[in-house]
Amino acid sequence: MRNLTPENITEVFQSYMGPETDPRLREVLGSLVRHLHAFAREVNLTHAEWNTGIAFLERAGEISDAERHEFVLLSDVLGLSSLVDMLHSSGEGTSSSVLGPFHISGSPPLPMGGDLRGDRSDPVLLVEGTVRDPQGNPVAGAELDIWQTAPNGLYSSQDPEQETYSFHGLQTVGADGRYGFTTVRPVEYTVPSDGPVGDILRACGRHPWRPSHLHFIAKAPGFRTLVTEVFPEDDPYLDQDTVFGVREDLVMRYEDRAAGSFPAEGFELSGKVEGAFLAVRFDLVLVPE
Ligand code: BEZ
Ligand code: FE
């Protein structure tokens, strides 16, 4: 086709795809290009703006490596990661949320009642709950992969001062579906903003903060794997999470518990916590596959 116009170029693009094109690829790429062309027409995209966009993508590529996933971060701050996640949620069970770039596999086992806090002096946070199916039956043997920031707001993979698996643990729930461990209250933190995605946030007058949260991946045979987070209800960034990860059913109260009320047994810290502490309950509902 040589008589291209701003009006027909979109259809011409579609016609260039050969008959052997995978039907789903044809649908997805065809739609992407339709929207891309419509966007350029709608804003009357200039050469300078097109160049700025290309330079942005090049910078995102340059800064990305095995640990730095700038394109995932871009998807996160544009709300695309959360949109894709919500589109495929069944609407049943505990809501899922963003995985983020700081999960590392191979976390060490965290026994029931185990402790992630170590010798830190921050107040103890006791986290407990159950893992159940939609009928309320315990999901015995479910595996919880848990990770969070240290009190300095950094994940272990970002912080050379931390051990590889600091604030990471893998807990297998018992026949009663219960899980429980102690840790410190995670803190709110900023997503990496020293790259091109940070430039976009600043240009849009947006901050890079996420409300504090504990990450969970819950896995059990016969159930959909759940990637989720739990947020404290008093976090100042709850209604402005820069990666759109908050869902109503993931917001829980961190309760103040009086000195002397720490469980006398069942936790690694039983008998060792005399002062006041915090406690949060987070029950997980897994959906059958
Ligand atoms: C996180 O929660 O770890 C995270 C999620 C999305 C982008 C950056 C960090
Ligand atoms: Fe996180």
Side-chain angles (χ1 to χ4, degrees):
M1 164 61 95
R2 57 183 71 175
N3 299 319
L4 285 168
T5 67
E7 289 71 38
N8 71 11
I9 189 167
T10 308
E11 283 320 305
V12 173
F13 170 85
Q14 314 291 335
S15 74
Y16 280 7
M17 282 193 274
E20 71 285 1
T21 310
D22 174 82
R24 180 64 178 161
L25 174 67
R26 180 187 292 275
E27 182 185 1
V28 173
L29 189 60
S31 174
L32 177 66
V33 170
R34 262 198 309 281
H35 284 85
L36 205 56
H37 288 189
F39 145 75
R41 281 189 284 263
E42 183 182 316
V43 301
N44 195 21
L45 196 70
T46 65
H47 284 99
E49 289 159 347
W50 179 86
N51 269 319
T52 303
I54 297 294
F56 169 84
L57 293 175
E58 284 174 354
R59 282 193 297 135
E62 280 158 17
I63 203 172
S64 295
D65 60 22
E67 256 114 58
R68 176 84 186 230
H69 303 281
E70 197 73 1
F71 289 103
V72 177
L73 185 59
L74 176 64
S75 162
D76 293 341
V77 304
L78 295 183
L80 181 62
S81 312
S82 276
L83 174 60
V84 171
D85 197 32
M86 290 187 288
L87 285 173
H88 296 283
S89 114
S90 62
E92 268 191 292
T94 301
S95 294
S96 55
S97 185
V98 288
L99 172 68
F102 301 119
H103 173 253
I104 49 176
S105 38
S107 283
L110 176 66
M112 176 66 196
D115 178 49
L116 291 176
R117 173 177 171 261
D119 54 11
R120 289 180 176 77
S121 57
D122 308 65
V124 171
L125 170 66
L126 186 155
V127 186
E128 61 184 341
T130 54
V131 184
R132 296 186 182 277
D133 69 13
Q135 283 72 46
N137 304 305
V139 181
E143 194 177 71
L144 298 181
D145 193 346
I146 299 150
W147 72 106
Q148 68 169 89
T149 50
N152 65 0
L154 295 175
Y155 286 93
S156 60
S157 57
Q158 301 173 286
D159 183 3
E161 301 297 313
Q162 290 183 54
E163 307 267 320
T164 309
Y165 290 112
S166 121
F167 290 106
H168 287 71
L170 201 61
Q171 190 163 96
T172 305
V173 310
D176 55 2
R178 285 188 58 234
Y179 76 90
F181 61 97
T182 48
T183 182
V184 298
R185 185 182 167 131
V187 294
E188 55 266 29
Y189 65 85
T190 60
V191 300
S193 60
D194 56 342
V197 170
D199 292 343
I200 290 197
L201 293 177
R202 281 181 288 279
C204 296
R206 277 176 60 179
H207 65 70
W209 289 92
R210 293 214 65 204
S212 76
H213 51 271
L214 277 157
H215 289 275
F216 290 79
I217 300 177
K219 284 186 184 170
F223 290 86
R224 284 174 69 157
T225 295
L226 173 68
V227 178
T228 193
E229 313 173 84
V230 59
F231 303 89
E233 68 174 15
D234 57 353
D235 192 286
Y237 293 105
L238 214 49
D239 289 312
Q240 36 178 315
D241 179 5
T242 202
V243 302
F244 308 94
V246 181
R247 311 281 176 270
E248 190 70 48
D249 64 321
L250 306 183
V251 179
M252 298 291 149
R253 174 174 304 183
Y254 283 28
E255 288 171 10
D256 288 313
R257 296 278 171 87
S261 66
F262 194 85
E265 54 187 42
F267 285 84
E268 195 180 325
L269 296 187
S270 292
K272 297 182 190 153
V273 180
E274 285 160 12
F277 65 100
L278 289 168
V280 59
R281 185 176 178 91
F282 183 45
D283 292 327
L284 295 157
V285 177
L286 301 186
V287 178
E289 238 159 10

